[in-house]
Every structure is written in C-alpha cells, then in structure tokens.
Amino acid sequence: MAVGLLKKALPRLGLAVPAWPGVRCMTSRLYGTAAAQTQIHQPDNSVGSDKILTEPLKHPDFFRLSELFSLKDLFDARVHLGHKIGCRHRLMEQYLFGCRLEQDILDLDQTMEHLQQALNFTAHVAYRRGIILFVSRNRQFTHLIESMARDCGEYAHCRYWQGGLLTNANVQYGKGVRLPDLIVFLSTLNNVFQQHVAVRDAAKMNIPTVGIVDSNCNPSLLTYPVPGNDDSGPAVELYCKLFRMTINRAKDKRRQMEILYGLKSQND
Amino acid sequence: MSALCKAVCVSKRAAELARIPCRSLLGFTKHYSSGETGETPGNEEGTPPAEKRLGGFAAAFELHSDLQQKHDIAAATVGKTASSKKKQSFAYLLKHSPLVQMGTAKDKVAVGKIFHIVNDDLYIDFGGKFHCVCKRPAVDGEKYQRGSRVRLRLVDLELTSRFLGAKTDTTLLEADAVLLGLLESKPK
C-alpha cells in the first residue's frame, strides 16, 4: 500500500516496471488502493526513450548472460552440495537430483535454468535503473557481499534487520523514501535457521525477490528462486561475481543504448 | 579445491596411469623414469635419470598436480576446452567427482587448506560443503598459517543431529575432521 502511495505522490520516481509477463501497472494489484490506475510516467515521452525501454524486452537473453557461467563453473564452485537429509525442506525436493550418503545433491540442470532467469531479471532491473538490495545473514560473507554491492553501485544489508524496514519505511526513514526494486538473497535464512523476515516483507510490499535457496530453505515466497549451495565460500564468491558482472553489464548497456538513441542520460 | 581431494582418491589409479604410455596430453617429467617420453613437443624435460622415489601418497599428490598442470596447459593450447566441457553432463561430473568417488567420509584422508585462524583454532577447507575447525597442534604450531596445506582424517561432512521435539535436524554448519599434520612433501 505504501508503494502505491509513493508512486502517486512522486510519479517521477521512475520505479522500474519489471518484465513480468502481462503486468503493466502494479497499483492495480495492491490491496486497499482505489481502482484509479497510476500511469507510470517516463522522464520524457519521445520515441527514443520508448525504444530504450522496449528493445531489451524483445530478446530472451538481451545481455548475453548465458556466457557468464557454465555447468562446470557451478560444479567446481560446489553449488550442487546440499545439507544432510534430515535438514531437507519438503518444498525443495523438486530441485534435488538425489541424496548421496545422506547428503542432498541439488540438480544443477535446474539450477542453470533458474540462475539464467534470475540473472536476466536482475539485468533488466539494473538496466531500468532499479535499486537492488543484497541481503544475507551469513556472517562469513558479510564483507564480501558489501564490497560486491559497492563495486556494482548497488546496496547491501547484511546486518540485523529491523522489523519495519520495508513495511514501516515511512515512519522509520521519513516520507518519500524509495524502496528497493529488487531484493537479492544470497542466503534466505537468518542465524536461527528461520526464514529471513525480508522474504515475507518483500512479498508484502510487492518487491520482486531473487534468492539462493539451499536444501533447507523455503522457496515458495521468492519470485526467482535459485536452488544452490549458500554455505560454501567458492559458491558465494561465484554468485557475487555473477551478480556483479550482470549488473555492470546491464548498466553499461544502458549507457550504450542512450548514446545510440541520442538521449542525454539523467543523473539520479 | 576439489583438486585437493583428488589427490587422495586417485592414489590407486595413479599407479595404473604411470604404467600406461601417454597418448595425447600428458607428459610425465620428474618422478617417473619408466621410459615414457611425452608426445607433445613442449616437453622440455626429456627422459630424466631415475630420481629419488617419493612415498605413495606424496607421489600421488605430485603426480596429480603435474597431471592437472599439463592438462590445463594442453587444453588451453589445443583449444578443446569448450567442447570437452559441453560433453560432460551433470550426472557425469557428479559420478566422477572426488566426493562421490571417495564414498563414505569416515576415516578418509584428505588434504585441506587453512583459510582462517582465530588464536588456536584453524579453519580448514578440504573441498566439501563445509570447512572443519581443528585445534592447533602442539608439534610445529607456528607452521600452521593461512594458506598452509594440511592432512586431515575426515569424520563427518556435516555435523547434524535431530533433537527431541524438533521438526528438522539442527546443523552446526561445520564438518568434523582430525588434523594429522602438515603436508610434508610440498616444499614451502
């Protein structure tokens, strides 16, 4: 609801319209808002600006992200290793290749597809100048994730999550605060092995989420779950590298397209 | 990191490989004087005279690091990397991975690398999902620094247990291993 009000008050925020099939206007899906549909105002309505935004949507892999990773890279980074069978979450069974000596093995073929979709979505959000927030409560990788976020010009929140960060943002941060357009979870669990509060809150606030789900995680509330290992160093380093390269690629592409269509870029 | 595990598992196979004359990519250089000459022109060593024979595990480790280097160099020069990777499916990679070839983790010897130290606690990564934490031993304590390679006897890959009244296992997010000592054969 707050997001709808934010958009009505400040239509020039230019919040990204995600490339969800068949969803043009988000406010029509928010509970409690009236039937009035807020038009997503673009900075200027010229043909060039339209081309910049519609051109990437015509290609299945506009940013050529499939060349960033391969099955072997995922395998060498130990992405396929899951937890023991006793820790398994029932909803993760569809992503498992099998169980070997009580250790779950994730199916990397499925992971490849999910990762491709997740990276593609992230690239489109970054292309449209969306705000991306990286969240993880795994203390071992806090520094790595924060420096990766800084390197690609996005945001990270790997510390204690206060309850109302997303749902009570107007009170906690003042009016007119812009919420993230995408939240990427490099681990969806918090330190007591419960689902991170941000997963539920992002779903409440209609913020799409990308999340690496291990065999003990619940994938149901995430928009783009990626079954994979979230505990090993090489795996998390690989994810960080992939997200950083994706976002940088998308931003570079945006600059190229703007030059191509002769528009001056507006600084946020 | 999985290359570290491979050293243990191929110790039997290494002996077989040494006797098979090399065909395409692999040239044996220092330790095997069984008359095999590498077919690749880049083998500058030639046939060396018989040198000091290393023990079983150390020999396997040396062999495997040589094999890996030769394979990487040859694959890079020949340029078959892309096609050879594409042919291997996930099932193939998994079946031939050291983790699966090893079998049960109990009482297997592996080579690990220390990646973090907190006073006397050594955090060692041996190629599994989790790392293990071992106490610094009294013997040669100062030699255990970040980046040191050590030998471990694995006990468990993940310490989990189902407690009374719980729905799922509680996991410690750690593996369990006994520290045997430094990897002696590697000159520092």
Side-chain angles (χ1 to χ4, degrees):
Chain A
M1 194 195 313
V3 177
L5 292 175
L6 274 172
K7 281 191 180 153
K8 275 188 182 173
L10 298 162
R12 285 180 62 88
L13 273 183
L15 280 173
V17 176
W20 292 341
V23 174
R24 275 301 301 169
C25 183
M26 288 166 65
T27 53
S28 59
R29 298 174 59 204
L30 288 174
Y31 174 77
T33 50
Q37 304 237 337
T38 311
Q39 295 302 318
I40 310 289
H41 293 292
Q42 304 303 334
D44 51 68
N45 292 323
S46 65
V47 177
S49 146
D50 203 38
K51 206 75 167 85
I52 286 178
L53 293 175
T54 56
E55 187 60 34
L57 300 179
K58 296 176 186 167
H59 307 264
D61 193 9
F62 184 69
F63 304 98
R64 292 200 319 261
L65 300 166
S66 48
E67 61 192 37
L68 286 181
F69 63 98
S70 68
L71 190 83
K72 190 81 171 67
D73 295 335
L74 295 186
F75 191 86
D76 291 336
R78 310 178 216 161
V79 166
H80 59 292
L81 299 178
H83 286 267
K84 285 279 169 86
I85 187 172
C87 303
R88 188 195 291 178
H89 194 284
R90 206 176 134 250
L91 294 171
M92 287 299 291
E93 282 170 10
Q94 54 177 319
Y95 302 121
L96 294 182
F97 184 74
C99 185
R100 159 84 177 170
L101 292 171
E102 293 185 5
Q103 182 177 23
D104 286 335
I105 307 287
L106 298 157
D107 188 3
L108 278 191
D109 296 322
Q110 290 189 52
T111 301
M112 288 278 284
E113 295 165 6
H114 283 86
L115 187 60
Q116 170 66 31
Q117 287 186 13
L119 288 179
N120 190 37
F121 183 73
T122 310
H124 280 274
V125 172
Y127 179 90
R128 288 162 172 264
R129 298 214 188 98
I131 289 183
I132 299 175
L133 182 68
F134 291 94
V135 173
S136 166
R137 208 55 186 103
N138 196 331
R139 288 199 180 111
Q140 192 179 350
F141 308 114
T142 296
H143 177 74
L144 175 70
I145 295 169
E146 288 178 348
S147 46
M148 177 269 290
R150 190 189 55 217
D151 288 342
C152 56
E154 297 297 339
Y155 304 84
H157 189 111
C158 302
R159 314 280 168 150
Y160 175 73
W161 183 276
Q162 277 190 315
L165 259 183
L166 295 177
T167 46
N168 205 19
N170 273 348
V171 169
Q172 289 189 349
Y173 293 102
K175 293 192 164 54
V177 67
R178 181 175 165 184
L179 294 180
D181 301 304
L182 172 66
I183 299 184
V184 179
F185 289 92
L186 287 143
S187 165
T188 54
L189 297 182
N190 61 15
N191 288 325
V192 280
F193 302 102
Q194 290 165 348
Q195 195 178 48
H196 200 291
V197 169
V199 176
R200 192 197 64 199
D201 283 355
K204 283 185 187 174
M205 304 301 293
N206 269 8
I207 298 171
T209 45
V210 166
I212 311 287
V213 278
D214 206 343
S215 64
N216 58 346
C217 304
N218 184 355
S220 48
L221 279 181
L222 297 164
T223 327
Y224 291 91
V226 178
N229 186 3
D230 60 7
D231 297 302
S232 296
V236 177
E237 282 167 17
L238 178 74
Y239 301 137
C240 285
K241 187 189 88 168
L242 288 176
F243 278 112
R244 189 185 64 238
M245 288 169 77
T246 309
I247 292 171
N248 284 336
R249 243 188 214 204
K251 290 183 173 175
D252 290 341
K253 195 76 187 181
R254 175 69 187 234
R255 270 178 244 129
Q256 279 178 24
M257 294 286 274
E258 284 180 341
I259 292 168
L260 190 66
Y261 289 101
L263 284 182
K264 294 172 193 167
S265 62
Q266 293 185 5
N267 291 326
D268 287 304
Chain B
M1 271 306 164
S2 57
L4 296 174
C5 283
K6 279 182 193 169
V8 177
C9 306
V10 301
S11 54
K12 284 183 190 172
R13 293 177 62 204
E16 298 167 21
L17 281 172
R19 289 181 223 122
I20 297 168
C22 68
R23 281 177 210 162
S24 54
L25 308 169
L26 314 170
F28 297 90
T29 54
K30 303 169 222 164
H31 306 294
Y32 294 85
S33 57
S34 41
E36 296 155 346
T37 49
E39 289 179 8
T40 53
N43 191 3
E44 309 91 347
E45 301 282 328
T47 47
E51 295 187 0
K52 179 186 77 171
R53 286 265 177 191
L54 297 174
F57 171 74
F61 191 82
E62 286 288 353
L63 167 67
H64 197 267
S65 15
D66 286 344
L67 290 179
Q68 193 68 33
Q69 283 171 16
K70 290 283 182 298
H71 187 272
D72 289 342
I73 292 167
T77 51
V78 175
K80 284 183 187 171
T81 316
S83 59
S84 63
K85 278 181 187 171
K86 269 183 193 171
K87 284 175 194 167
Q88 294 177 335
S89 67
F90 171 57
Y92 178 90
L93 287 173
L94 184 69
K95 186 179 173 187
H96 293 85
S97 67
L99 200 70
V100 168
Q101 293 289 317
M102 171 175 80
T104 323
K106 189 113 176 66
D107 296 333
K108 293 286 187 319
V109 175
V111 172
K113 189 170 162 190
I114 301 177
F115 70 94
H116 194 242
I117 300 183
V118 175
N119 298 332
D120 276 344
D121 294 326
L122 311 171
Y123 290 71
I124 302 163
D125 175 26
F126 54 86
K129 181 174 163 87
F130 296 105
H131 56 270
C132 64
V133 185
C134 301
K135 279 282 179 204
R136 191 192 292 263
V139 180
D140 285 339
E142 317 76 40
K143 291 193 182 172
Y144 294 89
Q145 300 302 331
R146 218 176 261 209
S148 313
R149 295 199 173 177
V150 293
R151 289 173 60 224
L152 303 164
R153 183 185 310 119
L154 303 178
V155 175
D156 200 355
L157 288 178
E158 184 181 350
L159 291 169
T160 56
S161 184
R162 177 75 58 105
F163 288 97
L164 213 56
K167 283 184 200 167
T168 56
D169 279 9
T170 308
T171 169
L172 276 183
L173 302 179
E174 261 179 36
D176 193 15
V178 173
L179 187 59
L180 297 177
L182 288 164
L183 196 65
E184 302 94 14
S185 64
K186 212 64 172 149
K188 290 226 170 111

